[in-house]
Amino acid sequence: MTNFYCGKIAFIDLDNLDYKIEDTSIDLKRNYLGGNGFGVKLLYENTLPQINPLSPQNTLIFAVGPVTGTLLPSSSRFGVFAKSPLTGLFFDSYCGGTWGEQLKRAGFDALVIKGASHNPVSIIIENKKISFKHAENLWGLKTLETQKLLNKELGGDFTIATIGPAGENLVRYAAIISETRAAGRGGMGAVMGSKKLKAIAVKGTGDIYVHDPKGFMDYVRELHNRIKQHPGTGNVLPTFGTSVGASAFNDLGILGAYNWQKETFSNVNKISGHYMHKMKIYQKTKACLNCPIRCSKIAKAKKGIFQDYTTEGPEYETVFSFGSLCGNDDIGSIIAADRVCDELGLDTITAGAVLAFIMECYEKGILPNHLLNEVKHWNIMFGNLSTIDKILEMIAFRKGIGDFLAEGTQRMAEDLGREALELCTSVKGLEVPGHTARGLKGMGLGYAVSNRGGTHMDTRPTVERSGQYDPFEIKDKGKLMKDNQDMTAIGDSLIICRYTEGIFGFFINNDFVKMANLTTGLEYSLEDLRQIGERIYTLERMFNVREGINRSKDVLPNRFLNEPIADGPRKGHFITEEELNYMLDDYYVARGWDKETGIPTDETLNKLSLLEIKEKEDENAS
Amino acid sequence: MTNFYCGKIAFIDLDNLDYKIEDTSIDLKRNYLGGNGFGVKLLYENTLPQINPLSPQNTLIFAVGPVTGTLLPSSSRFGVFAKSPLTGLFFDSYCGGTWGEQLKRAGFDALVIKGASHNPVSIIIENKKISFKHAENLWGLKTLETQKLLNKELGGDFTIATIGPAGENLVRYAAIISETRAAGRGGMGAVMGSKKLKAIAVKGTGDIYVHDPKGFMDYVRELHNRIKQHPGTGNVLPTFGTSVGASAFNDLGILGAYNWQKETFSNVNKISGHYMHKMKIYQKTKACLNCPIRCSKIAKAKKGIFQDYTTEGPEYETVFSFGSLCGNDDIGSIIAADRVCDELGLDTITAGAVLAFIMECYEKGILPNHLLNEVKHWNIMFGNLSTIDKILEMIAFRKGIGDFLAEGTQRMAEDLGREALELCTSVKGLEVPGHTARGLKGMGLGYAVSNRGGTHMDTRPTVERSGQYDPFEIKDKGKLMKDNQDMTAIGDSLIICRYTEGIFGFFINNDFVKMANLTTGLEYSLEDLRQIGERIYTLERMFNVREGINRSKDVLPNRFLNEPIADGPRKGHFITEEELNYMLDDYYVARGWDKETGIPTDETLNKLSLLEIKEKEDENAS
């Protein structure tokens, strides 16, 4: 039998501050690969249906993948998995830095954290030794301070993932922060906060297992060359950072602006990566562990009211959410917002989207007086983020209007009523990121069916932006997006960063086989990986079906279905209900899910070896 | 039987100023598609081996393809085919504008021009009516003047392809010019000049045949969307023009400079497309017929000794050849060189490369006195193109040192001796364009085996720049480059522009099948097209084998094989002879050519239905 590596899984019980460690089973590895695969399998098995995501009954999982911590470019990531307090569905969020590497060096494939502590606590992992540490002194601290203080207490060489005040106060879009990197979306930080878990500090000194070190190093060298040669990863991203997207998408007429009332932003040139490069707002270039792309930047506000604020970032999504989406062209305020979100532990996409939404509600005159007064007081209006530092603090500490804003757009809109719901651009409760639904029809389908809701990480907008497929065509998009989603599931299981797409492509191919086999030695075939990708995505859907998801919930916000794009090169485009339904039919067929209900058929579950899981479920329920 | 379209082929006899018109046979269409396919088949059959390319025995062919003149983006091109006076081998060169559309509307698939006129003559084609017109009054005129004057004589609505003084004086890299577009490489203009053929004026009023107009228009609309969405064709090329490549390649360390002594150029920022855009040197954006990419620019020199010179261009290759390759950062001189080359009818790549070569010869002190004096007099030194207008005129009229420079680098080097030969970067007599051989190993192989010699149009550097393949890996490059060459053969047969690569990809795929079938109705399968691509490329090789080409001629210049890149990110890279031999073995196997000789085996010829042609050839020879 082939030599292969499986690490350990720690099951941590916060109710009793106890844990047990088990070997990762070879079956889990063979059938779920790592990362995302482990996350969904473990979450499905360890969470009861219909629980409150902010109760101790939710389970919080951390996992790494076969390539995590190796020298493979873009492989420094770890995943976080839980039922999301925003969507009430399966959620996975990924984070760079070095925490994942440390967990792997400590010998773990995953942590499964259940229950909740009575008092604030940190988990300390030093190789196989797991301990708990009171965290009263850390509670209330910002994320960078927390990391600094805890590390000092521990002797200085731990890597720490932590929440800030936002997570503690159960802001539904609180992030988990490690170094200055975030597992940003879906409120994983709030789940952590609900468990009174302030931080997880890890130190690992073991080796990173690679099955075929020589073959692997040859492949790594090859990838370095390919990354260097590719204009995106070799030149554009290292030079201009990810925010270069802002001007590119604006030119295409697909840059969300003014809460998606528009899809161009006239002052984009004052906030894009090109501008920050040209104006020397970028002070420095950074990279995740072992990653040659170096897309990360240290930016400093050079003038204005936020002068001298610095941040690692702002990434494209932040420039979109606090910039064009809020009609705001003050790059200083975006840099400040990025930094403050990192410090407080907030998802920048949802935070910006929440503000853009309330700005439009104000503009449309549909705010009740108590909110209206606060909006006016804090000047929360399109084109103005002059109080952004204050507003974000109010959100994180749930003070004043911040308590309302902390709920996320969907709940706010439901609260405000019908008119507000029409302005809400969340999918399944998650605010859509900076990628058009109306200007790329397959992406529109992707949003509607995504297991995470309004994410660009299940289905990729790059597929249709590549020029290889017609973005306005609805034919054959079901299969295309299904294949793309299976790739993202495998990418998130290995775990690699999405910015390698230009290198690896949009679909599972032999590069993925190489990555999996050189590291694990498990001799996956291309067909194996395709099936694993499909299995993971379908099990996520099963989790969601258990929570009440079906075809009737696979919808798009009113704005994208019924309002044409108002401006720019894509003016007049939107997705009709007929088009969406056509693509949905196509998609369910490609997935082997029932066309009427959108629920995986027993035949499909059987093909993916998932039927047993469902039957066990049915047994438990009866 | 399926309805399909075949036009006519005109066989024009310049010895007797006579012609006959034949139907294009369905077999030719089925087996050779159009453009490149027609060109090689007709040239092979209508040219004896070992003839002097500048004698009346050479045959000059013009051909269009199934998509020429249709609404398909990037489809306005026609091809020119002859034995090249630079390489002595099969050559094909393509040109944009509207001449190809007019020829198609006149009802022709191709013109096959044999013999030579005693006195300067023009061919006038008005639909099926072909006539000859004395051209004494045009002889000696520049290309734009010629078009203007001839059109005036003809009543004003003809489109004209013409040569300038360079073609008349048999400069070995003379171009054919139509409007301001060029069939630039390989000296097709000299072949035309050797026939005393000054111009071909065409007017066609027929319809452009498309087999399935509705399906075709749907597809065209789809392509417009895909082109618009793609960052390269939708944004970068329309904004910055093709010269954007200069800075991108410099960043990658693969921008030829100082006659390839270096592969970076420190002042690239003063000559790149970004600079011309920023400094408003670009006055206007232009497009070929029906092409939404609009990569063409009108540039104007805003200061310096060439102030107020304007040109359509300069394209990337011109910025490379007169810019970095000559160590020259004066954008005004590049604009002037581009304009003067168009007017005189010169290939800008070879013209710049010839100058860079003589500059290095001067630097190395290996010029004999008579040349040395002229070089000093005209100040032909790296970093200086202050007399470029004068030098190009001397070349076109073969005056003074111009007579020497008019022979091209290979012949100049042979004349100057061993030391000069080591500085010569031609492949099979054709100067390599602005794409590295040392920094992309598969491209190095591509140069070595290319039927045209030093061209980026048989094998594409984009394959390895895409990030999908390791540019420093030699394994599997044979098959990869073979498949890519088969794609370029099909692309040149349809005929589409290379700037659609981001849309259609690097290999023959279903897009090519669609283009072929929607226009012709001939129901080619994917496998059919792959075989046609291979057939075309192999027949080109057979033409070259007839001229003495074999494995021993599939080599790279000394500089690329034995001198590592001296500077920049790719410093130290080159291709060893072992590596080249490894890739050659691989390539011949993929092609089904004998590994020892590099000559297609009878088995391969039989598979491609080419054996009969060879046997007929053998018969004739015996």
Side-chain angles (χ1 to χ4, degrees):
Chain A
M1 188 178 168
T2 310
N3 181 22
F4 64 91
Y5 172 77
C6 285
K8 309 276 183 189
I9 299 177
F11 292 83
I12 296 173
D13 168 10
L14 287 179
D15 288 336
N16 303 301
L17 300 184
D18 199 3
Y19 67 95
K20 59 177 183 185
I21 293 176
E22 294 182 1
D23 285 345
T24 308
S25 81
I26 174 80
D27 273 2
L28 183 66
K29 196 112 186 170
R30 228 186 253 296
N31 297 318
Y32 291 90
L33 193 56
N36 189 8
F38 285 11
V40 65
K41 183 67 174 6
L42 292 167
L43 192 71
Y44 193 94
E45 289 179 343
N46 286 282
T47 320
L48 292 172
Q50 308 292 337
I51 53 115
N52 175 354
L54 294 177
S55 76
Q57 290 173 293
N58 202 352
T59 303
L60 179 66
I61 293 168
F62 292 78
V64 293
V67 305
T68 305
T70 67
L71 288 172
L72 192 114
S74 93
S75 66
S76 75
R77 299 174 84 74
F78 64 96
V80 189
F81 310 85
K83 180 172 176 179
S84 162
L86 265 184
T87 66
L89 304 173
F90 172 80
F91 211 91
D92 47 336
S93 188
Y94 301 84
C95 181
T98 59
W99 192 92
E101 181 219 11
Q102 289 297 307
L103 189 69
K104 188 102 172 254
R105 288 194 184 280
F108 290 105
D109 287 327
L111 310 177
V112 179
I113 303 170
K114 304 176 85 162
S117 173
H118 286 287
N119 300 307
V121 73
S122 298
I123 299 173
I124 316 299
I125 301 175
E126 190 171 355
N127 291 322
K128 290 291 167 337
K129 202 176 75 194
I130 297 181
S131 59
F132 302 91
K133 188 175 186 325
H134 288 300
E136 272 91 358
N137 63 325
L138 304 175
W139 205 250
L141 292 190
K142 293 179 179 170
T143 60
L144 302 189
E145 276 175 279
T146 302
Q147 294 180 65
K148 214 166 138 186
L149 187 55
L150 178 56
N151 221 339
K152 203 173 151 196
E153 291 173 2
L154 294 173
D157 48 0
F158 281 73
T159 304
I160 295 165
T162 182
I163 55 170
E168 297 170 10
N169 295 307
L170 310 183
V171 175
R172 287 186 186 271
Y173 44 95
I176 297 172
I177 304 284
S178 183
E179 292 154 5
T180 53
R181 298 260 144 200
R185 303 223 72 192
M188 300 296 100
V191 175
M192 195 157 154
S194 74
K195 297 187 175 310
K196 285 275 196 302
L197 177 59
K198 179 66 179 175
I200 307 176
V202 190
K203 180 163 88 177
T205 55
D207 285 340
I208 301 280
Y209 180 86
V210 166
H211 169 73
D212 172 1
K214 196 193 156 306
F216 184 74
M217 281 314 300
D218 285 349
Y219 184 58
V220 165
R221 258 188 297 272
E222 175 189 323
L223 290 178
H224 275 262
N225 292 335
R226 287 162 57 181
I227 284 171
K228 196 82 197 162
Q229 294 290 331
H230 186 277
T233 50
N235 185 8
V236 176
L237 286 172
T239 308
F240 302 110
T242 64
S243 302
V244 72
S247 41
F249 300 158
N250 186 67
D251 289 348
L252 293 171
I254 54 174
L255 176 69
Y258 299 93
N259 197 40
W260 292 99
Q261 293 179 85
K262 301 179 74 178
E263 297 209 16
T264 65
F265 181 51
S266 52
N267 285 346
V268 68
N269 288 333
K270 295 171 74 180
I271 58 174
S272 77
H274 281 121
Y275 180 79
M276 287 188 273
H277 173 74
K278 192 174 115 197
M279 302 305 284
K280 300 195 168 40
I281 287 169
Y282 289 151
Q283 308 288 302
K284 215 174 129 178
T285 281
K286 279 192 69 177
C288 286
L289 182 70
N290 298 331
C291 186
I293 304 180
R294 299 170 295 120
C295 69
S296 192
K297 307 283 164 253
I298 305 292
K300 180 177 176 182
K302 298 183 78 168
K303 54 184 184 184
I305 44 176
F306 297 106
Q307 194 169 355
D308 293 334
Y309 260 90
T310 64
T311 193
E312 179 168 1
E315 305 291 338
Y316 162 67
E317 290 294 347
T318 309
V319 165
F320 148 77
S321 65
F322 286 110
S324 56
L325 200 66
C326 288
N328 169 42
D329 66 7
D330 174 17
I331 189 69
S333 68
I334 296 170
I335 290 170
D338 189 54
R339 175 61 182 257
V340 174
C341 280
D342 283 354
E343 294 272 18
L344 298 171
L346 281 167
D347 173 24
T348 61
I349 300 179
T350 290
V354 158
L355 293 175
F357 169 73
I358 201 89
M359 287 170 183
E360 190 179 356
C361 289
Y362 166 77
E363 208 177 66
K364 295 280 192 302
I366 55 181
L367 290 178
N369 271 337
H370 69 285
L371 293 176
L372 186 62
N373 291 338
E374 283 211 80
V375 161
K376 280 183 178 167
H377 176 77
W378 293 106
N379 219 348
I380 309 177
M381 292 161 197
F382 282 124
N384 192 323
L385 283 191
S386 58
T387 59
I388 187 62
D389 49 342
K390 309 281 187 311
I391 297 165
L392 293 171
E393 279 225 13
M394 289 195 299
I395 293 172
F397 288 96
R398 284 188 173 269
K399 284 188 197 150
I401 194 173
D403 192 36
F404 181 63
L405 299 175
E407 289 295 289
T409 316
Q410 182 72 37
R411 283 174 177 77
M412 289 160 65
E414 283 164 7
D415 220 48
L416 292 168
R418 198 185 49 78
E419 282 171 295
L421 274 167
E422 295 204 345
L423 316 178
C424 168
T425 56
S426 299
V427 179
K428 295 190 172 81
L430 188 72
E431 291 78 4
V432 301
H435 298 281
T436 189
R438 294 177 286 198
L440 303 167
K441 303 226 183 219
M443 187 63 204
L445 167 68
Y447 278 134
V449 299
S450 168
N451 287 328
R452 276 182 275 204
T455 179
H456 55 307
M457 291 299 177
D458 280 347
T459 316
R460 298 289 297 145
T462 39
V463 178
E464 286 169 299
R465 281 209 318 269
S466 72
Q468 290 168 43
Y469 308 94
D470 183 0
F472 301 136
E473 178 58 69
I474 55 169
K475 247 176 56 189
D476 303 326
K477 286 293 163 75
K479 174 78 163 61
L480 192 75
M481 294 312 169
K482 179 253 176 203
D483 286 346
N484 178 241
Q485 290 166 349
D486 291 348
M487 181 285 285
T488 62
I490 289 296
D492 288 344
S493 295
L494 281 168
I495 302 171
I496 52 169
C497 171
R498 284 293 138 69
Y499 279 108
T500 52
E501 248 172 5
I503 308 302
F504 296 130
F506 307 120
F507 309 106
I508 298 168
N509 58 29
N510 282 321
D511 272 311
F512 292 84
V513 177
K514 269 195 180 174
M515 285 188 268
N517 289 343
L518 290 169
T519 49
T520 67
L522 278 173
E523 297 176 4
Y524 302 98
S525 68
L526 185 58
E527 200 36 56
D528 288 341
L529 285 191
R530 287 188 178 137
Q531 199 175 42
I532 294 172
E534 198 173 338
R535 178 178 301 126
I536 292 169
Y537 206 80
T538 300
L539 185 55
E540 292 179 6
R541 178 73 171 191
M542 284 171 69
F543 186 104
N544 289 354
V545 166
R546 209 165 66 163
E547 301 295 334
I549 288 297
N550 55 41
R551 178 169 181 145
S552 71
K553 309 285 172 61
D554 289 345
V555 291
L556 285 174
N558 174 73
R559 176 148 282 167
F560 300 152
L561 267 187
N562 295 315
E563 270 186 46
I565 297 177
D567 62 321
R570 289 287 165 272
K571 187 173 171 174
H573 283 280
F574 67 111
I575 299 182
T576 66
E577 296 203 33
E578 291 69 34
E579 286 177 325
L580 180 57
N581 276 321
Y582 177 96
M583 291 191 289
L584 282 173
D585 281 353
D586 216 29
Y587 175 80
Y588 298 134
V589 168
R591 279 243 169 262
W593 296 355
D594 183 79
K595 250 167 68 169
E596 303 299 313
T597 62
I599 293 173
T601 63
D602 282 359
E603 194 188 335
T604 298
L605 294 182
N606 191 38
K607 188 190 85 180
L608 298 172
S609 317
L610 289 172
L611 194 54
E612 204 185 332
I613 295 175
K614 189 198 160 207
E615 282 167 354
K616 206 164 132 196
E617 187 74 27
D618 292 345
E619 244 166 65
N620 290 345
S622 66
Chain B
M1 189 178 166
T2 311
N3 182 22
F4 65 90
Y5 172 79
C6 286
K8 309 276 183 188
I9 299 177
F11 292 84
I12 296 173
D13 168 11
L14 287 178
D15 287 337
N16 303 300
L17 299 185
D18 199 2
Y19 69 94
K20 59 177 182 188
I21 294 176
E22 293 182 3
D23 286 345
T24 307
S25 81
I26 174 77
D27 272 2
L28 182 66
K29 196 113 186 169
R30 228 187 252 297
N31 297 318
Y32 290 91
L33 193 58
N36 190 173
F38 286 12
V40 65
K41 184 66 172 11
L42 292 168
L43 192 71
Y44 194 94
E45 289 179 343
N46 286 280
T47 320
L48 292 170
Q50 308 292 337
I51 54 115
N52 174 354
L54 294 176
S55 76
Q57 289 171 295
N58 202 351
T59 302
L60 180 66
I61 293 169
F62 292 78
V64 293
V67 306
T68 304
T70 68
L71 288 172
L72 192 115
S74 93
S75 66
S76 76
R77 300 174 84 73
F78 65 95
V80 188
F81 310 85
K83 180 171 176 178
S84 161
L86 264 183
T87 66
L89 305 173
F90 172 80
F91 211 91
D92 47 335
S93 187
Y94 301 84
C95 181
T98 60
W99 193 92
E101 181 217 12
Q102 289 296 307
L103 189 69
K104 188 101 171 256
R105 286 194 185 279
F108 291 105
D109 287 326
L111 310 177
V112 179
I113 303 171
K114 304 177 85 162
S117 173
H118 285 289
N119 300 306
V121 74
S122 297
I123 299 173
I124 316 300
I125 301 175
E126 188 171 357
N127 292 322
K128 290 291 166 338
K129 204 175 77 194
I130 298 181
S131 58
F132 302 91
K133 189 173 184 325
H134 288 301
E136 272 89 358
N137 63 325
L138 304 175
W139 205 249
L141 293 190
K142 292 179 179 171
T143 60
L144 301 189
E145 276 174 279
T146 302
Q147 294 181 65
K148 212 165 140 186
L149 187 57
L150 178 56
N151 221 339
K152 201 171 152 197
E153 291 173 3
L154 295 173
D157 49 0
F158 281 73
T159 304
I160 296 164
T162 184
I163 55 170
E168 296 170 10
N169 296 307
L170 311 183
V171 175
R172 287 186 187 272
Y173 44 95
I176 297 172
I177 303 285
S178 183
E179 293 155 4
T180 53
R181 297 261 145 201
R185 304 223 73 193
M188 300 296 100
V191 175
M192 194 158 154
S194 73
K195 298 188 173 310
K196 286 274 197 304
L197 177 58
K198 178 67 177 174
I200 308 176
V202 190
K203 179 163 90 177
T205 55
D207 286 341
I208 301 278
Y209 179 86
V210 166
H211 170 73
D212 172 0
K214 196 194 155 306
F216 184 73
M217 281 314 300
D218 287 348
Y219 184 57
V220 165
R221 258 188 298 272
E222 174 188 323
L223 290 179
H224 275 262
N225 293 335
R226 287 162 56 182
I227 284 171
K228 196 82 197 163
Q229 294 289 330
H230 187 277
T233 51
N235 185 8
V236 177
L237 286 172
T239 309
F240 302 110
T242 62
S243 302
V244 73
S247 41
F249 300 158
N250 186 67
D251 290 347
L252 293 171
I254 55 174
L255 176 69
Y258 300 92
N259 197 40
W260 293 100
Q261 293 179 85
K262 301 180 74 178
E263 297 210 13
T264 65
F265 180 51
S266 52
N267 285 345
V268 68
N269 289 333
K270 295 171 74 179
I271 59 173
S272 77
H274 281 120
Y275 179 79
M276 288 189 271
H277 172 74
K278 191 174 116 197
M279 302 306 283
K280 300 195 169 43
I281 287 169
Y282 289 151
Q283 307 289 302
K284 216 173 127 176
T285 280
K286 278 191 71 176
C288 286
L289 182 72
N290 298 330
C291 187
I293 304 179
R294 298 170 296 119
C295 69
S296 191
K297 306 283 163 254
I298 305 292
K300 181 177 175 180
K302 298 182 81 170
K303 54 185 183 181
I305 46 175
F306 297 106
Q307 194 169 357
D308 293 335
Y309 259 89
T310 63
T311 194
E312 179 168 1
E315 305 292 338
Y316 163 67
E317 290 295 346
T318 309
V319 165
F320 149 77
S321 65
F322 286 109
S324 56
L325 199 66
C326 289
N328 169 43
D329 66 7
D330 174 17
I331 190 69
S333 68
I334 297 171
I335 290 169
D338 190 53
R339 175 61 182 258
V340 174
C341 281
D342 284 353
E343 294 271 17
L344 298 171
L346 281 168
D347 173 24
T348 61
I349 300 179
T350 291
V354 158
L355 293 176
F357 169 73
I358 201 90
M359 287 169 181
E360 190 179 355
C361 289
Y362 166 77
E363 210 177 64
K364 295 281 193 298
I366 56 180
L367 291 178
N369 271 336
H370 70 286
L371 293 175
L372 186 62
N373 290 338
E374 283 210 80
V375 161
K376 281 183 178 167
H377 177 77
W378 294 105
N379 219 347
I380 309 177
M381 292 161 196
F382 283 125
N384 191 323
L385 284 190
S386 58
T387 59
I388 187 64
D389 50 342
K390 308 283 186 311
I391 298 166
L392 293 171
E393 278 224 14
M394 289 196 298
I395 292 172
F397 290 96
R398 284 187 172 269
K399 284 185 195 150
I401 195 174
D403 192 36
F404 181 62
L405 300 175
E407 290 295 289
T409 316
Q410 182 72 37
R411 284 173 177 78
M412 289 159 65
E414 283 164 7
D415 219 48
L416 292 168
R418 197 185 48 78
E419 281 170 295
L421 275 166
E422 295 204 345
L423 317 177
C424 169
T425 56
S426 299
V427 179
K428 297 191 171 79
L430 188 71
E431 291 78 4
V432 301
H435 298 280
T436 189
R438 293 177 286 200
L440 303 167
K441 303 228 184 217
M443 188 63 204
L445 168 68
Y447 278 134
V449 299
S450 169
N451 287 328
R452 277 183 274 205
T455 179
H456 55 307
M457 290 299 177
D458 280 347
T459 316
R460 297 289 296 145
T462 39
V463 178
E464 288 170 299
R465 280 209 317 268
S466 72
Q468 290 166 44
Y469 309 93
D470 184 359
F472 301 134
E473 179 57 70
I474 55 169
K475 246 176 57 189
D476 304 327
K477 285 294 163 75
K479 175 76 162 63
L480 193 75
M481 293 312 167
K482 180 253 177 203
D483 286 346
N484 179 242
Q485 291 167 348
D486 291 348
M487 181 284 285
T488 62
I490 290 295
D492 287 345
S493 296
L494 281 168
I495 303 170
I496 52 169
C497 171
R498 284 294 138 69
Y499 280 107
T500 54
E501 247 170 8
I503 308 303
F504 296 130
F506 307 121
F507 310 106
I508 298 168
N509 59 28
N510 282 321
D511 273 311
F512 292 85
V513 177
K514 269 196 179 172
M515 285 188 267
N517 290 343
L518 290 169
T519 49
T520 67
L522 279 173
E523 296 176 7
Y524 302 98
S525 68
L526 185 59
E527 202 33 59
D528 288 342
L529 286 191
R530 287 186 177 139
Q531 198 174 44
I532 295 172
E534 199 173 338
R535 179 178 300 127
I536 292 169
Y537 207 80
T538 300
L539 186 55
E540 291 179 5
R541 179 73 171 191
M542 285 170 69
F543 186 104
N544 289 353
V545 166
R546 209 164 67 163
E547 303 294 333
I549 288 296
N550 55 42
R551 177 169 181 146
S552 71
K553 311 285 173 60
D554 290 343
V555 291
L556 285 173
N558 173 72
R559 175 148 282 167
F560 300 152
L561 268 186
N562 295 316
E563 270 186 46
I565 297 177
D567 61 323
R570 290 286 166 273
K571 188 173 170 175
H573 283 280
F574 67 110
I575 299 182
T576 65
E577 297 203 32
E578 291 68 36
E579 286 177 325
L580 180 58
N581 277 321
Y582 178 97
M583 292 193 287
L584 282 173
D585 282 353
D586 215 29
Y587 175 80
Y588 298 134
V589 169
R591 280 242 168 263
W593 298 355
D594 183 78
K595 251 167 68 170
E596 302 300 312
T597 63
I599 294 173
T601 63
D602 282 358
E603 195 188 334
T604 298
L605 295 181
N606 191 39
K607 188 190 84 180
L608 297 172
S609 316
L610 289 172
L611 195 55
E612 204 186 333
I613 296 175
K614 189 200 160 203
E615 283 167 354
K616 207 165 132 194
E617 187 74 28
D618 291 345
E619 245 167 62
N620 291 343
S622 65

